[in-house]
Amino acid sequence: MDIEVYDGANTSDLTAPAHVPAAVVRAAVVDARSPVPTGVHRSVALSVARGSEKTARLRLERLARVAMSTGRVDDPAMVWATDWTRLPVEGYEQLDRSIAATWGTASTRNAMRDSVRAVVRECRDAGLMTYDEATRALSALRPEKLGRDTEKQARGHLSATQVKEVFEALAADKSPTARRDAALIALLVGAGLRREEAVTLELSDLDATHETLVVTGKGGVVRDVPLAPGVRRAVSAWLEARGDDPGPLLTPMSKEVPRVAVLDRAMSVNAVAAVVKRRFAGDGEAVRPHDLRRTFVGDLLDAGADLSSVSKIVGHSSPATTAGYDRRGVAARRAAVEKLSVPFV
């Protein structure tokens, strides 16, 4: 990819580039995170040096698609090998125009912009770009403001009846697998964990009284999560079947009968999704692990918890992200205002 301004692009001909093959992206992430990357330039490698594997893959793929959307490059490897610190501000402005002309929704356009902005931010922090250079580049790719979709915020929440029925069915099943699944679901819907966080838990992350859990979230940020009484009971019941040997808190079950916990490895994120889908199987749409996290946030806000506290519990970097899970509508906000006393006479 040449470091130059992309002049002469016909925006009416722009179409979103196809997704980069997953194997190619995975190989690029491995190279970027190696001690001495060979194909990924340092300016790009810095943007995926930390965080989850999933985030790194998304960032590299989106960065490649953004550059390819200009029509001037068709090889993602060239995009990743480029020294992005040499791209002038006019080039970043052209990328922004290309993003605006290529992708149809503001949320997608913002995600594409963020892939480039992440490179700029990391280059600035590493001293590869001056503060002024980075500021101009970031300003050229300013995210669009998104209106709050109240209907979307109301979707993905489970009713109290749904959750109760699942736990009742699990309680009736005395098998170790059912105890494991009950603990998993309790941690998702009763502690708001992401599925990636749940599978990385170790037994040592749980305190002696089972009242608090140490969780490592996105970006390696560690937080303490208090456990509700029902969650503690579900976890304790699972530990009776699992045992107290060190290792992953949530484990696969052996294929042999009687089934026992396999302590040498943790559950996979796909296994978590399969458990949730199976246990919440019904006539409606399949339930996803994130629906349980969304429900947890909605339940806390409905119960009167303040947004800042809930944000800290679930590990959001900003309460604004937590607000996106708020299922309360206009009526709830109006009721809150009605409680105010304004002494006008």
Side-chain angles (χ1 to χ4, degrees):
M1 176 177 147
D2 295 331
I3 301 295
E4 60 183 25
V5 180
Y6 302 118
D7 294 323
N10 185 353
T11 57
S12 63
D13 294 336
L14 296 179
T15 57
H19 287 281
V20 182
V24 175
V25 179
R26 284 196 295 269
V29 171
V30 171
D31 181 37
R33 291 184 167 182
S34 65
V36 183
T38 57
V40 179
H41 193 272
R42 186 186 176 203
S43 60
V44 176
L46 287 169
S47 69
V48 295
R50 296 181 299 273
S52 70
E53 177 81 9
K54 178 181 178 182
T55 298
R57 292 199 306 267
L58 282 173
R59 186 162 287 169
L60 285 188
E61 193 210 19
R62 288 169 176 169
L63 184 68
R65 297 184 78 203
V66 165
M68 290 191 295
S69 71
T70 64
R72 295 297 298 268
V73 59
D74 58 7
D75 184 358
M78 293 177 61
V79 179
W80 301 325
T82 294
D83 180 358
W84 282 74
T85 65
R86 294 177 53 216
L87 186 67
V89 66
E90 294 83 2
Y92 288 105
E93 291 170 350
Q94 176 61 52
L95 289 175
D96 187 71
R97 290 193 293 271
S98 182
I99 291 170
T102 303
W103 283 279
T105 64
S107 59
T108 302
R109 291 193 293 270
N110 282 346
M112 295 298 171
R113 289 186 179 101
D114 188 65
S115 64
V116 184
R117 287 171 61 87
V119 172
V120 175
R121 290 194 301 267
E122 294 298 332
C123 287
R124 176 199 61 197
D125 295 345
L128 302 185
M129 297 178 73
T130 67
Y131 182 85
D132 288 343
E133 289 172 340
T135 298
R136 288 193 291 270
L138 292 173
S139 296
L141 291 147
R142 197 180 302 276
E144 300 172 47
K145 291 185 177 180
L146 302 178
R148 182 167 294 175
D149 185 346
T150 55
E151 291 186 3
K152 181 179 179 180
Q153 288 177 217
R155 292 195 295 269
H157 291 271
L158 305 178
S159 69
T161 301
Q162 284 178 284
V163 176
K164 182 180 179 182
E165 289 176 350
V166 167
F167 278 124
E168 287 177 345
L170 287 166
D173 184 345
K174 303 303 181 182
S175 69
T177 301
R179 291 189 179 187
R180 190 275 314 272
D181 292 355
L184 167 63
I185 292 172
L187 289 168
L188 297 177
V189 79
L193 300 191
R194 303 176 177 95
R195 61 175 176 172
E196 294 85 355
E197 296 170 343
V199 300
T200 56
L201 290 172
E202 296 284 320
L203 182 62
S204 58
D205 293 327
L206 191 65
D207 71 359
T209 59
H210 301 173
E211 293 183 353
T212 306
L213 195 61
V214 178
V215 178
T216 303
K218 287 185 175 181
V221 177
V222 178
R223 68 185 190 276
D224 291 337
V225 177
L227 301 182
V231 180
R232 298 201 296 265
R233 291 193 296 271
V235 171
S236 296
W238 159 236
L239 292 179
E240 291 178 4
R242 178 198 177 280
D244 57 3
D245 291 337
L249 178 60
L250 298 169
T251 71
M253 305 302 294
S254 65
K255 295 182 179 180
E256 299 79 14
V257 178
R259 301 196 187 282
V260 296
V262 180
L263 299 178
D264 62 349
R265 65 183 187 276
M267 292 181 69
S268 68
V269 291
N270 290 335
V272 171
V275 168
V276 171
K277 181 179 181 180
R278 183 174 72 254
R279 296 299 184 180
F280 283 89
D283 297 330
E285 294 183 3
V287 175
R288 301 166 301 173
H290 204 75
D291 295 334
L292 276 65
R293 175 175 165 86
R294 186 181 294 274
T295 300
F296 171 75
V297 173
D299 287 347
L300 284 184
L301 294 175
D302 285 351
D306 67 274
L307 195 62
S308 177
S309 296
V310 177
S311 179
K312 292 175 182 176
I313 292 172
V314 297
H316 284 153
S317 58
S318 169
T321 305
T322 314
Y325 292 19
D326 190 351
R327 64 193 177 206
R328 297 171 297 179
V330 176
R333 296 194 292 273
R334 186 176 296 279
V337 172
E338 290 294 334
K339 297 176 182 179
L340 291 177
S341 176
V342 180
F344 174 77
V345 294

